[in-house]
Amino acid sequence: MGPFIEIISKPDNIAIVVMILMVLFFTAWAFLQAFRNDASRKNGELIEGEGNGKVDTWKPLVRIELIVALVVFIGLTFWSLVVDAPLEELANPTLTPNPAKAPWYFLGLQEMLVYFDPWIAGVVLPTLIIIGLIAIPYIDINPKGNGYYTFSERKWAILIFCFGFLFLWILLIVIGVFFRGPGWLWFWPWEEWDHHRVVYEGTADLTNLVGIDSRSGWGFFIGGGVVTMYYALGMILPYVYWRKKKPEFFENLGMVPYVTVTFLFWTMLALPIKMFLRLVLMVKYVWVTPWFNI
Amino acid sequence: MKMFDNIKQSLIWKSMFRRDYKDTPRNRALAIFGNVFMHLHPVKVREGAVKLRYTWGMGGISLFSFIILTVTGFLLMFYYRPSVDQAYWDIKDLEFQVPYGIFLRSLHRWAGHFMVIVVWLHMFRVFMTGSYKSPRQFNWAIGVILLVLTMLLSFTGYLLPWDQLGLWAIEVGTNMAAGTPLLGFEGPFSEYLGITPYNDVRFAILGGSTVGGNALLRSYVWHCVALPLVAVVLMAVHFWRVRKDGGISGPHS
């Protein structure tokens, strides 16, 4: 347990512990209120906040703001009195620590480096995360669930967002902080960090699994075909399915938002898929080209 | 008591405060729109909007963290010089020489981490209540930019103590920029544009090919001047839009 106590009590990592507790608490609270509202709807009762009148801002709201500000201030003061901000040795460009970790809020991106090259994990995916977040209101055209907690009225939106936020962002940060040691190898919290540990992983590229050299012409075309088909089928199949089932859905959404939402969705799912390929099938690249690898 | 009455009747007092404290509907309204800070609020709010279990207060806590960070950051600037020779030792001085210096620095650091967490949770709450839906789509977009700014503010501050922790965190973070397609020297297709470690985006960010004195100065200027200014402007827009888009969200609005 030695290293675990050491990692968990590192000054900066106390923030991660605070984050884990707050995320768990507020996730539970949001879903609790969502299920409660859904139950009220089912029974034909008013949901929370429905039929509300207005109250004065002075003082009911200002009073709450003051109390919250005081509580936060007392909490942060206590935190700062008990834990000192860390200061390590003087910066030394010739002495690389192992592991060298990015600030904790970027460790999800650093963790993605295990599965993707830097141009995807460090540039393309963060850009798409920002674009995707901004796009949410324009691609989620479901008018229900505006201004109250609910699950049943917008299941897919909530499931997809929570998967992205809780598992692909928060969980990867937690892994990056607590489970990655020297060489960015996986160390359980109770394991000592062994700086000389070498892990031989016989990774291969996807096409090599079926006996085709990924660097050959055939390998290039098959790898590119897999990536192209992934997006093409990911867009066409749901289109065919929903066109039949819910034609009005497409009329409301429009083609450009549909292509955007499916592209973003399958790009997001590409991360867990690549994780599976990498961890279970030992696949390094799906597509190898002279310019970039995916 | 007589003295207080005299003060309250004086020209100076009356020029500053235009109302008395009697609890009347008119005074409750005046308390809000007669005050430049309070008038961020509407005079009346929907009952649900004052419920902590609905908003979690996360937007307000983000703003409050930002204020704490501005005040502590401003004080820290008195003791800190952003140069390779001085930065680390100024932080050491702050720890061992400046009265309450370590508390000041700790408060700044923990409030910074806290703000990042709180801004994420604010986004999570707004998503879970569907508050980004019409008519608030654009304000959600501004919020996303503010969230990115919050992380950039924290990231630029990370390097300033000029210790191993900050140096290598920035090294790892900015190395990813070298992978930018076309514009980073390790990125796809950049060789066709003649991109080298000395003219790519990483060079532009760091002001050099390594994390050195220029990177420290750039971090400092972005951290203390440019990013807070942009954040304040966008916050003003963000808060104003909350009002213009019909106040804090609720059912049927």
Side-chain angles (χ1 to χ4, degrees):
Chain A
M1 282 315 268
F4 183 59
I5 303 289
E6 205 176 296
I7 294 173
I8 210 170
S9 60
K10 253 182 144 178
D12 269 334
N13 291 352
I14 290 172
I16 324 294
V17 178
V18 171
M19 176 193 77
I20 295 171
L21 295 176
M22 284 177 80
V23 167
L24 288 176
F25 174 78
F26 284 108
T27 305
W29 205 13
F31 275 97
L32 192 76
Q33 292 189 79
F35 293 142
R36 204 185 285 155
N37 279 342
D38 289 346
S40 303
R41 268 283 152 82
K42 223 170 129 194
N43 301 333
E45 296 158 12
L46 287 185
I47 58 164
E48 171 111 52
E50 222 167 13
N52 268 179
K54 291 205 162 187
V55 293
D56 286 315
T57 300
W58 184 272
K59 297 165 207 153
L61 178 56
V62 179
R63 187 195 293 131
I64 289 171
E65 288 172 346
L66 178 71
I67 293 170
V68 169
L70 283 175
V71 169
V72 168
F73 191 61
I74 291 168
L76 285 174
T77 304
F78 179 75
W79 186 355
S80 311
L81 286 172
V82 175
V83 189
D84 286 346
L87 185 65
E88 294 188 356
E89 300 288 300
L90 176 66
N92 182 355
T94 60
L95 190 72
T96 313
N98 187 7
K101 291 189 179 183
W104 61 268
Y105 36 85
F106 288 149
L107 282 189
L109 303 178
Q110 199 177 352
E111 177 66 20
M112 285 186 216
L113 284 174
V114 178
Y115 309 102
F116 287 109
D117 280 355
W119 70 279
I120 302 182
V123 183
V124 174
L125 288 179
T127 310
L128 286 179
I129 291 171
I130 296 168
I131 293 175
L133 284 174
I134 291 177
I136 285 175
Y138 305 100
I139 53 186
D140 173 15
I141 53 159
N142 173 10
K144 287 190 202 151
N146 183 348
Y148 51 93
Y149 293 96
T150 175
F151 179 68
S152 66
E153 294 174 25
R154 40 198 289 262
K155 276 186 204 120
W156 284 105
I158 286 177
L159 283 178
I160 294 170
F161 184 86
C162 285
F163 179 69
F165 179 64
L166 297 175
F167 289 94
L168 299 185
W169 187 253
I170 300 289
L171 185 65
L172 287 195
I173 289 174
V174 172
I175 288 173
V177 173
F178 294 122
F179 297 93
R180 291 298 182 179
W184 209 256
L185 295 173
W186 184 284
F187 285 86
W188 291 102
W190 52 86
E191 274 180 298
E192 285 295 341
W193 278 8
D194 175 5
H195 285 262
H196 305 289
R197 186 164 121 188
V198 178
V199 174
Y200 174 73
E201 288 177 317
T203 57
D205 298 330
L206 188 66
T207 51
N208 292 45
L209 292 186
V210 289
I212 297 169
D213 182 11
S214 60
R215 281 158 212 287
S216 66
W218 277 109
F220 173 81
F221 282 113
I222 294 173
V226 169
V227 175
T228 314
M229 288 310 275
Y230 174 72
Y231 280 106
L233 290 179
M235 288 177 191
I236 294 167
L237 292 183
Y239 179 80
V240 173
Y241 176 74
W242 273 324
R243 187 90 231 199
K244 237 192 222 160
K245 255 197 132 182
K246 274 190 182 174
E248 74 280 2
F249 176 73
F250 277 97
E251 255 140 63
N252 291 336
L253 185 62
M255 210 44 172
V256 175
Y258 173 74
V259 172
T260 313
V261 73
T262 40
F263 173 74
L264 290 169
F265 176 76
W266 292 111
T267 306
M268 180 171 126
L269 276 199
L271 177 60
I273 289 172
K274 192 76 195 285
M275 284 173 156
F276 173 81
L277 289 176
R278 178 74 176 71
L279 298 174
V280 179
L281 300 180
M282 292 295 186
V283 169
K284 187 158 169 59
Y285 293 123
V286 173
W287 186 18
V288 176
T289 80
W291 311 280
F292 59 84
N293 306 315
I294 289 176
Chain B
M1 276 344 255
K2 186 91 175 48
M3 193 178 72
F4 283 123
D5 284 343
N6 282 341
I7 291 173
K8 278 177 143 177
Q9 291 305 317
S10 71
L11 276 178
I12 297 172
W13 181 273
K14 280 164 98 176
S15 74
M16 288 195 285
F17 305 104
R18 306 228 182 261
R19 62 181 184 92
D20 60 23
Y21 203 72
K22 220 175 274 162
D23 190 18
T24 64
R26 184 170 178 276
N27 273 342
R28 289 199 291 271
L30 274 174
I32 299 303
F33 65 68
N35 179 308
V36 66
F37 305 107
M38 286 297 165
H39 95 290
L40 272 176
H41 303 102
V43 168
K44 282 179 182 288
V45 287
R46 197 177 300 107
E47 219 178 314
V50 301
K51 296 258 162 50
L52 260 189
R53 66 171 168 276
Y54 180 69
T55 65
W56 309 342
M58 285 299 164
I61 297 175
S62 311
L63 171 65
F64 186 62
S65 310
F66 184 82
I67 293 171
I68 294 179
L69 286 160
T70 308
V71 174
T72 51
F74 165 73
L75 291 172
L76 286 169
M77 284 172 81
F78 283 123
Y79 302 103
Y80 176 82
R81 289 161 293 182
S83 79
V84 171
D85 294 333
Q86 291 160 320
Y88 183 74
W89 306 109
D90 283 350
I91 300 290
K92 280 274 187 214
D93 271 356
L94 204 60
E95 204 162 310
F96 296 108
Q97 297 298 323
V98 179
Y100 303 105
I102 183 66
F103 172 70
L104 194 61
R105 188 164 103 79
S106 300
L107 186 55
H108 193 75
R109 194 178 186 94
W110 306 140
H113 286 353
F114 186 67
M115 183 173 166
V116 171
I117 299 168
V118 167
V119 168
W120 291 355
L121 286 172
H122 179 51
M123 178 189 72
F124 182 59
R125 192 285 290 178
V126 171
F127 185 89
M128 291 304 281
T129 56
S131 304
Y132 57 84
K133 299 187 177 201
S134 173
R136 299 182 178 81
Q137 300 99 323
F138 184 65
N139 215 14
W140 166 271
I142 294 174
V144 172
I145 307 287
L146 278 167
L147 177 138
V148 174
L149 283 176
T150 304
M151 292 202 277
L152 287 180
L153 271 163
S154 185
F155 186 66
T156 49
Y158 225 79
L159 183 63
L160 298 184
W162 200 245
D163 62 346
Q164 282 287 74
L165 188 66
L167 177 80
W168 289 98
I170 298 313
E171 194 85 55
V172 171
T174 52
N175 272 343
M176 293 196 190
T180 310
L182 298 172
L183 297 177
F185 80 94
E186 285 173 335
F189 304 113
S190 63
E191 67 261 34
Y192 302 113
L193 296 178
I195 298 290
T196 69
Y198 303 98
N199 64 4
D200 71 339
V201 280
R202 184 169 173 276
F203 191 94
I205 294 169
L206 294 177
S209 59
T210 55
V211 182
N214 283 349
L216 181 59
L217 185 61
R218 276 173 198 221
S219 283
Y220 179 75
V221 176
W222 280 109
H223 185 75
C224 302
V225 185
L227 290 174
L229 265 178
V230 179
V232 165
V233 171
L234 285 181
M235 268 187 252
V237 179
H238 196 61
F239 303 155
W240 182 76
R241 287 294 297 230
V242 172
R243 292 279 304 272
K244 294 294 149 181
D245 295 341
I248 291 171
S249 64
H252 299 308
S253 63

